[in-house]
Amino acid sequence: MSFGPPPSIYTESTLAADQARARRRRRVFGVVAAVAVVLCAGGALMWSGSGDRPSDDKPSATRQAPDDIRETTEKVPSSPEGRLMIEHDEENLSKSTDANPRYAPGTWATDKILAKGVATRIEGYNIALDADEMAWTLKLGGHICATSRHVTADGRTAVVIQPPQPKGSEKDGVCDQVVFFDLNTGKKLWQKKMPAANTAYVTNTNLTLTKGVVAVAWGRGSVAYDMKNGTQLWNSTTTSKCEDKAFAGGRALLALLSCGELPDTTYQVQKLEPRTGKVQWTHRVASGVQTVYLPSSDPPVLAVAAGDSVVTDLISLDGEGKNVATISLTGYDAKCGARYFALSYFGTFENCDGVVVGRTQAYVMSKEDLGTEQVDDWIIAFDLKSGKTAGKFDGRDLQMVYPLRMNGDELLIYRRGSGNIGPAAVVSWNPRTDKETPYLFFTLPEDDEFKLSDPEQSDIIFEKGRVFFAKRELVRDDEYPTDSVLMAIGIGPAGLKH
């Protein structure tokens, strides 16, 4: 199945684009300046209920090998006052509408570069205060079909692409090539054609990374490559009743298998030795489960939709694949498979934007609660061994909170801004002490705040002290169809050196 518009030619008026940027910057800097005043005049108000800034109780960091999957532990900034660092617009969207968007899957950051996938290319932007400088463009020769959130410790990642084929041909719409590249330089390190992948499409191709290995599954087959040089390590072509539906990477490699035909499909989860594909254990999911997601490979945690298409439970497993605890998600919003209006585009099975899994706990956001006058939502920490609650982080009235990722043994949280009520923020929460540490206070452009702050519509990532927001679908402004449209924005601490 083909999808997406052809590569665009940039004919947008530079003057109009600069004027749009200037308007947004005035809004951003105006509110950030107000934040600075609040911090200077009464920072305790912003940090109320959070205690002092930590000195001894800091997240721990471990040194990683270059091909480990990155696990960043952030440093507490000297000041959480935010400053605009990157603002990038996409142009020539006059033909892109809600019904026919320009897809922009994949957002990654290093200490030097923000990288964004869009249509048939990946762009890298230099990270510098109030800059909009393109560092590199990697032309892929085909639309992006699958991405992974994982990045190696030395800044590499991969995408699957759909090479162009003649319309109506047997391979029209097939996604059968993997591109591994360096985020800091934009250099393509290798590109490989997936074996026997004639049934790999944007709707069923799933990509992940684990230590030294890139793995792809598409239902009828799967393949794993050595990160070093793209050498194929192993592959499978399914002829049995069970298919490799997806992988979960990171510290380990899990495979999700679907067995049988609908409506009688059952699921298995296997832990694999990444370099050989050898099965180390198999966990058979109870019958009646409609869908399984893999938010974490180590510790192994499953998000299951039992009797419904919406995730109903988290299941934690031990080192042998046996059930340890089942956590009911009644009243919670795991946001698994919630991107692209619940269409299974670009790889879905590792993406549960309402869940973050740490070493001993899972953090889940609640559903939005408009009936309370105190907070709109909250985040609950669940112990993975007992399944019991182990802490609660409240949002604020008109300021929802979303879990982002682990920060050592703490949780990074994005709290939305709300006009004059309070700025947006990224904070680190220690569930053992209930201490909240501010990392950034900032505001987002008013016209784009809703979409940028919604994890179902935009990537929200925090890396090396900066927070980035990047839309996954780009459409024209119907009122000004020839204007450029904000695609990505980055905020960093005012005192951060580059």
Side-chain angles (χ1 to χ4, degrees):
M1 180 184 74
S2 297
F3 73 103
S8 58
I9 301 171
Y10 296 121
T11 58
E12 173 67 30
S13 162
T14 302
L15 178 60
D18 287 345
Q19 289 173 341
R21 293 187 187 101
R23 287 194 298 269
R24 284 199 295 268
R25 283 175 180 155
R26 283 195 293 271
R27 286 197 292 268
V28 169
F29 284 123
V31 179
V32 170
V35 173
V37 171
V38 172
L39 288 173
C40 293
L45 281 175
M46 301 305 299
W47 302 336
S48 60
S50 306
D52 297 329
R53 301 177 72 73
S55 55
D56 299 325
D57 188 18
K58 294 181 180 178
S60 59
T62 57
R63 187 173 182 84
Q64 292 187 285
D67 61 354
D68 282 338
I69 302 307
R70 182 179 65 190
E71 297 183 48
T72 308
T73 302
E74 300 289 342
K75 296 179 180 179
V76 179
S78 57
S79 167
E81 177 191 349
R83 282 288 185 262
L84 182 67
M85 305 191 76
I86 285 178
E87 180 189 33
H88 192 78
D89 293 353
E90 178 74 350
E91 300 175 331
N92 196 32
L93 288 167
S94 60
K95 295 182 180 180
S96 297
T97 64
D98 287 332
N100 181 36
R102 181 175 300 170
Y103 290 108
T107 308
W108 310 270
T110 70
D111 59 340
K112 301 178 179 125
I113 294 290
L114 171 67
K116 186 78 187 84
V118 54
T120 61
R121 66 190 187 279
I122 299 170
E123 295 179 344
Y125 319 120
N126 282 322
I127 296 175
L129 193 61
D130 192 19
D132 185 17
E133 181 184 351
M134 188 86 69
W136 51 259
T137 299
L138 176 58
K139 296 180 179 178
L140 298 170
H143 285 280
I144 299 170
C145 285
T147 68
S148 172
R149 71 175 185 268
H150 298 302
V151 174
T152 63
D154 64 354
R156 296 168 293 159
T157 193
V159 295
V160 177
I161 67 167
Q162 177 195 85
Q165 300 289 344
K167 287 287 184 182
S169 69
E170 184 179 340
K171 297 197 69 174
D172 184 20
V174 169
C175 303
D176 64 356
Q177 295 196 21
V178 184
V179 178
F180 191 61
F181 62 99
D182 188 305
L183 288 167
N184 285 311
T185 65
K187 181 181 178 181
K188 183 194 298 182
L189 301 175
W190 48 260
Q191 181 169 345
K192 297 293 179 179
K193 185 175 181 180
M194 293 147 49
N198 288 344
T199 57
Y201 301 103
V202 68
T203 53
N204 65 352
T205 302
N206 292 273
L207 164 74
T208 199
L209 281 68
T210 188
K211 181 179 174 62
V213 175
V214 178
V216 190
W218 58 92
R220 294 292 178 182
S222 60
V223 62
Y225 297 98
D226 190 327
M227 282 183 184
K228 183 177 180 181
N229 51 25
T231 300
Q232 182 176 306
L233 298 173
W234 50 268
N235 77 293
S236 67
T237 302
T238 300
T239 56
S240 68
K241 66 175 183 177
C242 295
E243 302 178 344
D244 287 338
K245 196 172 185 70
F247 293 123
R251 300 189 195 113
L253 183 63
L254 297 186
L256 173 63
L257 283 69
S258 61
C259 307
E261 301 293 334
L262 291 172
D264 301 317
T265 302
T266 59
Y267 295 94
Q268 299 177 12
V269 175
Q270 296 179 336
K271 183 177 181 180
L272 306 182
E273 202 294 313
R275 301 195 69 83
T276 64
K278 182 179 179 181
V279 177
Q280 297 180 321
W281 52 251
T282 299
H283 174 86
R284 289 173 172 80
V285 180
S287 60
V289 168
Q290 291 196 9
T291 310
V292 178
Y293 297 91
L294 304 174
S296 175
S297 66
D298 180 14
V301 174
L302 320 181
V304 302
D308 197 347
S309 59
V310 177
V311 167
T312 55
D313 302 274
L314 291 182
I315 299 174
S316 62
L317 307 179
D318 64 14
E320 297 180 349
K322 296 179 181 178
N323 192 322
V324 174
T326 299
I327 300 166
S328 172
L329 295 188
T330 301
Y332 298 92
D333 189 1
K335 293 190 180 298
C336 301
R339 300 177 178 180
Y340 306 102
F341 300 97
L343 298 173
S344 54
Y345 287 175
F346 310 111
T348 62
F349 289 92
E350 278 191 288
N351 299 325
C352 292
D353 294 306
V355 178
V356 170
V357 179
R359 291 284 189 179
T360 61
Q361 296 176 333
Y363 304 86
V364 190
M365 65 178 290
S366 73
K367 292 182 179 179
E368 186 174 7
D369 184 3
L370 299 178
T372 175
E373 296 180 358
Q374 298 300 318
V375 299
D376 281 0
D377 77 330
W378 51 89
I379 296 169
I380 295 291
F382 291 97
D383 184 273
L384 292 176
K385 287 187 177 180
S386 67
K388 296 180 179 179
T389 59
K392 181 185 181 186
F393 185 92
D394 281 326
R396 297 176 178 175
D397 186 27
L398 301 179
Q399 291 190 269
M400 290 186 67
V401 288
Y402 305 92
L404 295 181
R405 65 167 174 84
M406 296 305 298
N407 180 35
D409 293 327
E410 298 184 1
L411 177 69
L412 285 174
I413 295 170
Y414 168 56
R415 181 167 58 222
R416 292 182 65 164
S418 180
N420 295 325
I421 295 176
V426 174
V427 301
S428 190
W429 175 51
N430 185 326
R432 297 168 302 285
T433 63
D434 198 29
K435 184 179 290 185
E436 172 188 338
T437 304
Y439 274 64
L440 277 178
F441 292 117
F442 57 95
T443 188
L444 293 173
E446 182 180 351
D447 294 344
D448 296 280
E449 193 277 338
F450 177 78
K451 182 173 286 188
L452 291 174
S453 290
D454 183 358
E456 295 183 15
Q457 301 185 70
S458 295
D459 295 323
I460 307 173
I461 60 175
F462 191 91
E463 188 65 29
K464 300 295 184 182
R466 296 112 166 178
V467 64
F468 303 94
F469 300 81
K471 298 173 185 175
R472 300 191 190 104
E473 295 185 15
L474 304 170
V475 299
R476 71 188 182 200
D477 183 332
D478 287 337
E479 189 174 354
Y480 304 101
T482 60
D483 279 7
S484 59
V485 171
L486 180 64
M487 179 169 68
I489 191 168
I491 310 288
L496 190 67
K497 295 182 179 181
H498 311 290

